[in-house]
Amino acid sequence: QDEGTLGELELDEGLRGVRLVTRIALEDEEPVVLEQVSVVDAATRRHYSFTVGCTERCWEDNEDVIREIADSWTLEEVS
């Protein structure tokens, strides 16, 4: 699947995982929306995760920018 879609992911170098959006209802506050990308390496020895979120109102006002950030997330090997 394309990196920009929600659900299962298969990325370069054997990385695979999921991308999801979660809305968390809070008792006396505005709900919070989180988007998370979570993957493991081909050997399932390393886990990588990226999470971005804000209040529901903030999410609605900035969803395009938030998705652009999540879509651009990459892993780079450090030498």
Side-chain angles (χ1 to χ4, degrees):
Q1 282 186 340
D2 181 277
E3 289 181 56
T5 62
L6 300 177
E8 292 183 23
L9 293 174
E10 288 193 25
L11 306 174
D12 294 338
E13 307 298 323
L15 295 169
R16 66 189 186 287
V18 295
R19 182 172 178 176
L20 57 93
V21 173
T22 305
R23 180 183 179 275
I24 301 171
L26 304 172
E27 191 171 309
D28 294 330
E29 298 178 38
E30 184 177 355
V32 173
V33 178
L34 301 173
E35 180 159 345
Q36 182 175 36
V37 178
S38 186
V39 298
V40 293
D41 66 358
T44 64
R45 293 188 180 162
R46 295 184 185 204
H47 173 258
Y48 304 94
S49 183
F50 171 83
T51 304
V52 61
C54 58
T55 63
E56 189 170 50
R57 186 172 319 142
C58 166
W59 185 273
E60 290 169 357
D61 290 345
N62 299 288
E63 185 172 3
D64 291 344
V65 173
I66 294 167
R67 288 281 168 88
E68 184 176 331
I69 291 167
D71 288 348
S72 68
W73 180 69
T74 58
L75 293 173
E76 292 183 18
E77 189 172 331
V78 178
S79 54

